[in-house]
Amino acid sequence: MAVEDVFVRNQGRTVLACGRIERGRVRTADEVEIVGFAGGPVIRITGVDGCRPEAGEARAGMHAGLLLPGTVAGAIKRGQVLAAPGSIGAHAVFAADIALLPEHQGGAEVLSGDHLHFHVRAGVVKGLVTLPDGMEVLRPSHMAAVTVGLERPLALESGWAFAFRHHGRAAGSGTVTRLLS
């Protein structure tokens, strides 16, 4: 589940992490790992809020809130992923195929070494783009295979889609093709 929002409840004794379950299922008392950014500990879920007050379980495709112990209040943030321990890793460098928007939709030239803001699930991280050898500039409406180095590691898998912004405007989208670190 990608964490979309975090609420601290009961005067700091409980944390509610909200998001959409992407695959599998989660139940009360399951252990999950906080993946992305600085990461976090493996924690036990104390409850699952679904459509009903206490669902006890959430499955793929459901929007749910996972109740967690208050001790993780500072460790969990929007953009991280809660997953079964060891099922997904955080990566800071990856290869991707990107496509720039046309100029009339806000697309702008991207140079090798430009810093873009990458939006992966609910996470936003600044990253450095490296174009293929011999390519100095990627023009609007064009595509390229690039390497991206993020400032902070994010939970990533091959095949995941992302969007990116350049100079504060939507610039294009891409797909992770290979994880490099």
mmCIF file with all atom_site columns, all heavy atoms in Angstrom, residues 8 10 19 37 40 48 60 81 94 101 115 122 130 156-157 176 180:
data_model
loop_
_atom_site.group_PDB
_atom_site.id
_atom_site.type_symbol
_atom_site.label_atom_id
_atom_site.label_alt_id
_atom_site.label_comp_id
_atom_site.label_asym_id
_atom_site.label_entity_id
_atom_site.label_seq_id
_atom_site.pdbx_PDB_ins_code
_atom_site.Cartn_x
_atom_site.Cartn_y
_atom_site.Cartn_z
_atom_site.occupancy
_atom_site.B_iso_or_equiv
_atom_site.pdbx_formal_charge
_atom_site.auth_seq_id
_atom_site.auth_comp_id
_atom_site.auth_asym_id
_atom_site.auth_atom_id
_atom_site.pdbx_PDB_model_num
ATOM 1   N N   . VAL A 1 8   ? -2.240  11.150 13.130  1.00 0.00 ? 8   VAL A N   1
ATOM 2   C CA  . VAL A 1 8   ? -1.892  10.719 14.477  1.00 0.00 ? 8   VAL A CA  1
ATOM 3   C C   . VAL A 1 8   ? -3.142  10.887 15.326  1.00 0.00 ? 8   VAL A C   1
ATOM 4   O O   . VAL A 1 8   ? -3.731  11.962 15.365  1.00 0.00 ? 8   VAL A O   1
ATOM 5   C CB  . VAL A 1 8   ? -0.708  11.545 15.043  1.00 0.00 ? 8   VAL A CB  1
ATOM 6   C CG1 . VAL A 1 8   ? -0.382  11.108 16.458  1.00 0.00 ? 8   VAL A CG1 1
ATOM 7   C CG2 . VAL A 1 8   ? 0.504   11.397 14.137  1.00 0.00 ? 8   VAL A CG2 1
ATOM 8   N N   . ASN A 1 10  ? -5.568  9.618  18.998  1.00 0.00 ? 10  ASN A N   1
ATOM 9   C CA  . ASN A 1 10  ? -5.539  9.234  20.418  1.00 0.00 ? 10  ASN A CA  1
ATOM 10  C C   . ASN A 1 10  ? -4.319  9.803  21.133  1.00 0.00 ? 10  ASN A C   1
ATOM 11  O O   . ASN A 1 10  ? -3.598  9.080  21.799  1.00 0.00 ? 10  ASN A O   1
ATOM 12  C CB  . ASN A 1 10  ? -5.602  7.715  20.581  1.00 0.00 ? 10  ASN A CB  1
ATOM 13  C CG  . ASN A 1 10  ? -6.854  7.117  20.006  1.00 0.00 ? 10  ASN A CG  1
ATOM 14  O OD1 . ASN A 1 10  ? -7.883  7.794  19.930  1.00 0.00 ? 10  ASN A OD1 1
ATOM 15  N ND2 . ASN A 1 10  ? -6.776  5.876  19.583  1.00 0.00 ? 10  ASN A ND2 1
ATOM 16  N N   . GLY A 1 19  ? -4.357  4.633  2.373   1.00 0.00 ? 19  GLY A N   1
ATOM 17  C CA  . GLY A 1 19  ? -3.945  4.439  0.988   1.00 0.00 ? 19  GLY A CA  1
ATOM 18  C C   . GLY A 1 19  ? -4.732  3.315  0.354   1.00 0.00 ? 19  GLY A C   1
ATOM 19  O O   . GLY A 1 19  ? -5.660  2.769  0.933   1.00 0.00 ? 19  GLY A O   1
ATOM 20  N N   . PHE A 1 37  ? 12.263  6.461  1.267   1.00 0.00 ? 37  PHE A N   1
ATOM 21  C CA  . PHE A 1 37  ? 12.926  7.552  1.964   1.00 0.00 ? 37  PHE A CA  1
ATOM 22  C C   . PHE A 1 37  ? 13.985  6.959  2.880   1.00 0.00 ? 37  PHE A C   1
ATOM 23  O O   . PHE A 1 37  ? 14.859  6.260  2.419   1.00 0.00 ? 37  PHE A O   1
ATOM 24  C CB  . PHE A 1 37  ? 11.958  8.457  2.699   1.00 0.00 ? 37  PHE A CB  1
ATOM 25  C CG  . PHE A 1 37  ? 10.863  9.035  1.828   1.00 0.00 ? 37  PHE A CG  1
ATOM 26  C CD1 . PHE A 1 37  ? 9.621   9.321  2.345   1.00 0.00 ? 37  PHE A CD1 1
ATOM 27  C CD2 . PHE A 1 37  ? 11.068  9.262  0.481   1.00 0.00 ? 37  PHE A CD2 1
ATOM 28  C CE1 . PHE A 1 37  ? 8.619   9.843  1.549   1.00 0.00 ? 37  PHE A CE1 1
ATOM 29  C CE2 . PHE A 1 37  ? 10.073  9.781  -0.326  1.00 0.00 ? 37  PHE A CE2 1
ATOM 30  C CZ  . PHE A 1 37  ? 8.841   10.070 0.219   1.00 0.00 ? 37  PHE A CZ  1
ATOM 31  N N   . GLY A 1 40  ? 12.122  2.392  7.544   1.00 0.00 ? 40  GLY A N   1
ATOM 32  C CA  . GLY A 1 40  ? 11.635  2.324  8.910   1.00 0.00 ? 40  GLY A CA  1
ATOM 33  C C   . GLY A 1 40  ? 11.610  0.895  9.379   1.00 0.00 ? 40  GLY A C   1
ATOM 34  O O   . GLY A 1 40  ? 11.977  -0.033 8.661   1.00 0.00 ? 40  GLY A O   1
ATOM 35  N N   . VAL A 1 48  ? -7.421  -2.546 11.052  1.00 0.00 ? 48  VAL A N   1
ATOM 36  C CA  . VAL A 1 48  ? -7.642  -2.181 9.653   1.00 0.00 ? 48  VAL A CA  1
ATOM 37  C C   . VAL A 1 48  ? -8.992  -1.487 9.564   1.00 0.00 ? 48  VAL A C   1
ATOM 38  O O   . VAL A 1 48  ? -10.005 -2.054 9.959   1.00 0.00 ? 48  VAL A O   1
ATOM 39  C CB  . VAL A 1 48  ? -7.631  -3.425 8.733   1.00 0.00 ? 48  VAL A CB  1
ATOM 40  C CG1 . VAL A 1 48  ? -7.923  -3.032 7.293   1.00 0.00 ? 48  VAL A CG1 1
ATOM 41  C CG2 . VAL A 1 48  ? -6.300  -4.155 8.826   1.00 0.00 ? 48  VAL A CG2 1
ATOM 42  N N   . ALA A 1 60  ? -6.623  -6.262 -2.149  1.00 0.00 ? 60  ALA A N   1
ATOM 43  C CA  . ALA A 1 60  ? -6.186  -5.464 -3.297  1.00 0.00 ? 60  ALA A CA  1
ATOM 44  C C   . ALA A 1 60  ? -7.367  -4.712 -3.897  1.00 0.00 ? 60  ALA A C   1
ATOM 45  O O   . ALA A 1 60  ? -8.450  -5.255 -4.065  1.00 0.00 ? 60  ALA A O   1
ATOM 46  C CB  . ALA A 1 60  ? -5.551  -6.365 -4.349  1.00 0.00 ? 60  ALA A CB  1
ATOM 47  N N   . VAL A 1 81  ? 5.859   3.250  1.295   1.00 0.00 ? 81  VAL A N   1
ATOM 48  C CA  . VAL A 1 81  ? 5.031   2.089  1.015   1.00 0.00 ? 81  VAL A CA  1
ATOM 49  C C   . VAL A 1 81  ? 5.061   1.176  2.227   1.00 0.00 ? 81  VAL A C   1
ATOM 50  O O   . VAL A 1 81  ? 6.120   0.958  2.825   1.00 0.00 ? 81  VAL A O   1
ATOM 51  C CB  . VAL A 1 81  ? 5.553   1.348  -0.240  1.00 0.00 ? 81  VAL A CB  1
ATOM 52  C CG1 . VAL A 1 81  ? 4.879   0.009  -0.421  1.00 0.00 ? 81  VAL A CG1 1
ATOM 53  C CG2 . VAL A 1 81  ? 5.363   2.206  -1.478  1.00 0.00 ? 81  VAL A CG2 1
ATOM 54  N N   . PHE A 1 94  ? 17.712  4.232  -11.157 1.00 0.00 ? 94  PHE A N   1
ATOM 55  C CA  . PHE A 1 94  ? 17.005  3.300  -12.032 1.00 0.00 ? 94  PHE A CA  1
ATOM 56  C C   . PHE A 1 94  ? 17.087  3.771  -13.479 1.00 0.00 ? 94  PHE A C   1
ATOM 57  O O   . PHE A 1 94  ? 17.349  4.930  -13.753 1.00 0.00 ? 94  PHE A O   1
ATOM 58  C CB  . PHE A 1 94  ? 15.540  3.136  -11.607 1.00 0.00 ? 94  PHE A CB  1
ATOM 59  C CG  . PHE A 1 94  ? 14.711  4.391  -11.663 1.00 0.00 ? 94  PHE A CG  1
ATOM 60  C CD1 . PHE A 1 94  ? 13.951  4.706  -12.782 1.00 0.00 ? 94  PHE A CD1 1
ATOM 61  C CD2 . PHE A 1 94  ? 14.668  5.252  -10.579 1.00 0.00 ? 94  PHE A CD2 1
ATOM 62  C CE1 . PHE A 1 94  ? 13.174  5.845  -12.825 1.00 0.00 ? 94  PHE A CE1 1
ATOM 63  C CE2 . PHE A 1 94  ? 13.891  6.408  -10.600 1.00 0.00 ? 94  PHE A CE2 1
ATOM 64  C CZ  . PHE A 1 94  ? 13.141  6.709  -11.730 1.00 0.00 ? 94  PHE A CZ  1
ATOM 65  N N   . LEU A 1 101 ? 6.041   15.652 -22.910 1.00 0.00 ? 101 LEU A N   1
ATOM 66  C CA  . LEU A 1 101 ? 4.809   16.212 -23.451 1.00 0.00 ? 101 LEU A CA  1
ATOM 67  C C   . LEU A 1 101 ? 5.124   17.094 -24.655 1.00 0.00 ? 101 LEU A C   1
ATOM 68  O O   . LEU A 1 101 ? 6.230   17.639 -24.749 1.00 0.00 ? 101 LEU A O   1
ATOM 69  C CB  . LEU A 1 101 ? 4.105   17.062 -22.398 1.00 0.00 ? 101 LEU A CB  1
ATOM 70  C CG  . LEU A 1 101 ? 3.512   16.345 -21.201 1.00 0.00 ? 101 LEU A CG  1
ATOM 71  C CD1 . LEU A 1 101 ? 3.035   17.361 -20.167 1.00 0.00 ? 101 LEU A CD1 1
ATOM 72  C CD2 . LEU A 1 101 ? 2.380   15.447 -21.630 1.00 0.00 ? 101 LEU A CD2 1
ATOM 73  N N   . HIS A 1 115 ? 17.578  18.579 -13.120 1.00 0.00 ? 115 HIS A N   1
ATOM 74  C CA  . HIS A 1 115 ? 16.881  18.080 -11.935 1.00 0.00 ? 115 HIS A CA  1
ATOM 75  C C   . HIS A 1 115 ? 15.380  18.171 -12.189 1.00 0.00 ? 115 HIS A C   1
ATOM 76  O O   . HIS A 1 115 ? 14.867  19.246 -12.503 1.00 0.00 ? 115 HIS A O   1
ATOM 77  C CB  . HIS A 1 115 ? 17.260  18.884 -10.693 1.00 0.00 ? 115 HIS A CB  1
ATOM 78  C CG  . HIS A 1 115 ? 18.624  18.574 -10.196 1.00 0.00 ? 115 HIS A CG  1
ATOM 79  N ND1 . HIS A 1 115 ? 19.758  19.201 -10.675 1.00 0.00 ? 115 HIS A ND1 1
ATOM 80  C CD2 . HIS A 1 115 ? 19.052  17.671 -9.291  1.00 0.00 ? 115 HIS A CD2 1
ATOM 81  C CE1 . HIS A 1 115 ? 20.813  18.724 -10.066 1.00 0.00 ? 115 HIS A CE1 1
ATOM 82  N NE2 . HIS A 1 115 ? 20.422  17.784 -9.213  1.00 0.00 ? 115 HIS A NE2 1
ATOM 83  N N   . ALA A 1 122 ? 2.385   7.964  -4.456  1.00 0.00 ? 122 ALA A N   1
ATOM 84  C CA  . ALA A 1 122 ? 2.103   9.188  -3.716  1.00 0.00 ? 122 ALA A CA  1
ATOM 85  C C   . ALA A 1 122 ? 3.392   9.935  -3.357  1.00 0.00 ? 122 ALA A C   1
ATOM 86  O O   . ALA A 1 122 ? 3.343   10.993 -2.740  1.00 0.00 ? 122 ALA A O   1
ATOM 87  C CB  . ALA A 1 122 ? 1.319   8.869  -2.442  1.00 0.00 ? 122 ALA A CB  1
ATOM 88  N N   . THR A 1 130 ? 20.055  11.548 -16.568 1.00 0.00 ? 130 THR A N   1
ATOM 89  C CA  . THR A 1 130 ? 21.206  11.390 -17.441 1.00 0.00 ? 130 THR A CA  1
ATOM 90  C C   . THR A 1 130 ? 20.712  10.803 -18.754 1.00 0.00 ? 130 THR A C   1
ATOM 91  O O   . THR A 1 130 ? 20.177  9.690  -18.789 1.00 0.00 ? 130 THR A O   1
ATOM 92  C CB  . THR A 1 130 ? 22.264  10.459 -16.809 1.00 0.00 ? 130 THR A CB  1
ATOM 93  O OG1 . THR A 1 130 ? 22.613  10.967 -15.519 1.00 0.00 ? 130 THR A OG1 1
ATOM 94  C CG2 . THR A 1 130 ? 23.491  10.363 -17.681 1.00 0.00 ? 130 THR A CG2 1
ATOM 95  N N   . LEU A 1 156 ? 10.392  1.037  -5.395  1.00 0.00 ? 156 LEU A N   1
ATOM 96  C CA  . LEU A 1 156 ? 10.264  0.937  -6.854  1.00 0.00 ? 156 LEU A CA  1
ATOM 97  C C   . LEU A 1 156 ? 10.297  -0.514 -7.299  1.00 0.00 ? 156 LEU A C   1
ATOM 98  O O   . LEU A 1 156 ? 10.939  -1.346 -6.662  1.00 0.00 ? 156 LEU A O   1
ATOM 99  C CB  . LEU A 1 156 ? 11.417  1.658  -7.554  1.00 0.00 ? 156 LEU A CB  1
ATOM 100 C CG  . LEU A 1 156 ? 11.459  3.159  -7.523  1.00 0.00 ? 156 LEU A CG  1
ATOM 101 C CD1 . LEU A 1 156 ? 12.777  3.662  -8.098  1.00 0.00 ? 156 LEU A CD1 1
ATOM 102 C CD2 . LEU A 1 156 ? 10.304  3.747  -8.293  1.00 0.00 ? 156 LEU A CD2 1
ATOM 103 N N   . GLU A 1 157 ? 9.624   -0.769 -8.416  1.00 0.00 ? 157 GLU A N   1
ATOM 104 C CA  . GLU A 1 157 ? 9.696   -2.055 -9.091  1.00 0.00 ? 157 GLU A CA  1
ATOM 105 C C   . GLU A 1 157 ? 9.730   -1.805 -10.592 1.00 0.00 ? 157 GLU A C   1
ATOM 106 O O   . GLU A 1 157 ? 9.200   -0.793 -11.060 1.00 0.00 ? 157 GLU A O   1
ATOM 107 C CB  . GLU A 1 157 ? 8.477   -2.924 -8.757  1.00 0.00 ? 157 GLU A CB  1
ATOM 108 C CG  . GLU A 1 157 ? 8.477   -3.451 -7.346  1.00 0.00 ? 157 GLU A CG  1
ATOM 109 C CD  . GLU A 1 157 ? 7.310   -4.392 -7.075  1.00 0.00 ? 157 GLU A CD  1
ATOM 110 O OE1 . GLU A 1 157 ? 6.234   -4.218 -7.699  1.00 0.00 ? 157 GLU A OE1 1
ATOM 111 O OE2 . GLU A 1 157 ? 7.482   -5.289 -6.250  1.00 0.00 ? 157 GLU A OE2 1
ATOM 112 N N   . VAL A 1 176 ? 9.636   2.645  -15.289 1.00 0.00 ? 176 VAL A N   1
ATOM 113 C CA  . VAL A 1 176 ? 10.887  2.075  -14.768 1.00 0.00 ? 176 VAL A CA  1
ATOM 114 C C   . VAL A 1 176 ? 11.184  0.809  -15.566 1.00 0.00 ? 176 VAL A C   1
ATOM 115 O O   . VAL A 1 176 ? 10.350  -0.085 -15.650 1.00 0.00 ? 176 VAL A O   1
ATOM 116 C CB  . VAL A 1 176 ? 10.765  1.750  -13.260 1.00 0.00 ? 176 VAL A CB  1
ATOM 117 C CG1 . VAL A 1 176 ? 12.037  1.091  -12.751 1.00 0.00 ? 176 VAL A CG1 1
ATOM 118 C CG2 . VAL A 1 176 ? 10.439  3.004  -12.461 1.00 0.00 ? 176 VAL A CG2 1
ATOM 119 N N   . LEU A 1 180 ? 18.766  -0.088 -10.622 1.00 0.00 ? 180 LEU A N   1
ATOM 120 C CA  . LEU A 1 180 ? 20.223  -0.104 -10.638 1.00 0.00 ? 180 LEU A CA  1
ATOM 121 C C   . LEU A 1 180 ? 20.848  -0.063 -9.248  1.00 0.00 ? 180 LEU A C   1
ATOM 122 O O   . LEU A 1 180 ? 22.036  -0.301 -9.113  1.00 0.00 ? 180 LEU A O   1
ATOM 123 C CB  . LEU A 1 180 ? 20.743  1.057  -11.497 1.00 0.00 ? 180 LEU A CB  1
ATOM 124 C CG  . LEU A 1 180 ? 20.239  1.059  -12.939 1.00 0.00 ? 180 LEU A CG  1
ATOM 125 C CD1 . LEU A 1 180 ? 20.677  2.312  -13.658 1.00 0.00 ? 180 LEU A CD1 1
ATOM 126 C CD2 . LEU A 1 180 ? 20.716  -0.183 -13.663 1.00 0.00 ? 180 LEU A CD2 1
#
